Amino acid sequence: MALIIQKYGGTSVADAERVKEVAKRVVRYKKAGHDVIVVVSAPAGRTDALVKRAYELSDTPNKRELDMLLTSGEQISIASLAIAVEELGEKAVSLNAFQVNFKTTPVHTKAKIINIDTQIIQEKLDEGNVVVFAGFQGITENNEITTLGRGGSDTTAVALAAALNADVCEIYSDVDGVFTADPRIVPTARKLNTVTSEEMLEMAANGAKILHLRSVEYARRFNLKL
């Protein structure tokens, strides 16, 4: 039995049918005897829509309130996926960052992770649950909600995997994999079977969008299979 962290982006949970497909994959892993934690982003387009709303209200929205607004997107995803998993016969529980003391620096809209209290997550796993966790968000020492910046759900997943000593962290996307270049721009680009952390760091730093730069740095620091 392994502890597996899976992260699904916004396109994977964009609507009910896609959430159901994610739930089926998650349940297959659970039925195979693994402990599973799923990190999800807000549904595709939701974060952009929330940002747009904020800037329709103010040219300079308060960053604290912006974080409060943006984190509502992930709450939709985690509850939806937990419901879908339970419909397939497995126990599931959704958790927000503030419920598990996912501590960050007090820098709104671009916070960095400080510490993760894994006790509640481990208790829920021990009870037989699939744990569905909200990516992208954290909480300060003063219990203020923060966000990790765009791509932050990747970082959430890798940080959880490191804190819980997971066997593997899997990042799912709606594309076929990591290529030598963007295949939409370079038709001769090749899909890579494996990528070293050094190569992925360089690609992420130069604009590759498959993995967020900080998530690669985390995985490299903790020698985590990603």
Side-chain angles (χ1 to χ4, degrees), residues 8 23 35 43 75 85 87 95 98-99 106 112 120 150 183 193 197 200 216 223:
Y8 293 89
D35 284 335
Q75 188 152 316
V85 169
E87 180 64 19
L95 292 172
F98 66 83
Q99 293 174 291
K112 293 183 178 180
I120 292 176
R150 285 305 179 98
N193 291 324
S197 58
M200 197 65 235
V216 182
N223 195 30

Side-chain angles (χ1 to χ4, degrees), residues 102-105 111-116 148 155-156 159 214 218:
F102 194 100
K103 296 295 187 182
T104 72
T105 57
K112 293 183 178 180
I113 301 165
I114 297 174
N115 183 59
I116 304 170
L148 306 179
T155 306
T156 299
R214 276 191 287 172
Y218 246 98

Side-chain angles (χ1 to χ4, degrees), residues 142-221:
N142 294 323
N143 296 324
E144 293 287 344
I145 291 175
T146 58
T147 61
L148 306 179
R150 285 305 179 98
S153 292
D154 287 356
T155 306
T156 299
V158 176
L160 276 176
L164 288 156
N165 196 28
D167 295 279
V168 65
C169 181
E170 302 174 340
I171 308 291
Y172 287 89
S173 182
D174 61 340
V175 296
D176 292 334
V178 181
F179 286 74
T180 53
D182 188 336
R184 293 168 296 186
I185 299 171
V186 184
T188 56
R190 293 178 294 105
K191 188 171 77 168
L192 302 170
N193 291 324
T194 59
V195 187
T196 67
S197 58
E198 291 82 5
E199 290 168 335
M200 197 65 235
L201 278 171
E202 184 174 352
M203 292 175 73
N206 283 284
K209 296 179 180 179
I210 297 300
L211 291 173
H212 193 262
L213 178 61
R214 276 191 287 172
S215 72
V216 182
E217 291 172 337
Y218 246 98
R220 184 182 186 190
R221 186 188 315 166

Side-chain angles (χ1 to χ4, degrees), residues 1-6 8 21-38 90 130 168-172:
M1 183 177 74
L3 173 56
I4 298 171
I5 312 288
Q6 298 184 342
Y8 293 89
E21 289 303 314
V22 170
K24 289 176 185 176
R25 179 182 290 272
V26 170
V27 167
R28 284 201 298 271
Y29 277 76
K30 181 64 177 173
K31 287 188 181 299
H34 302 299
D35 284 335
V36 186
I37 300 172
V38 189
E90 292 291 339
V130 170
V168 65
C169 181
E170 302 174 340
I171 308 291
Y172 287 89

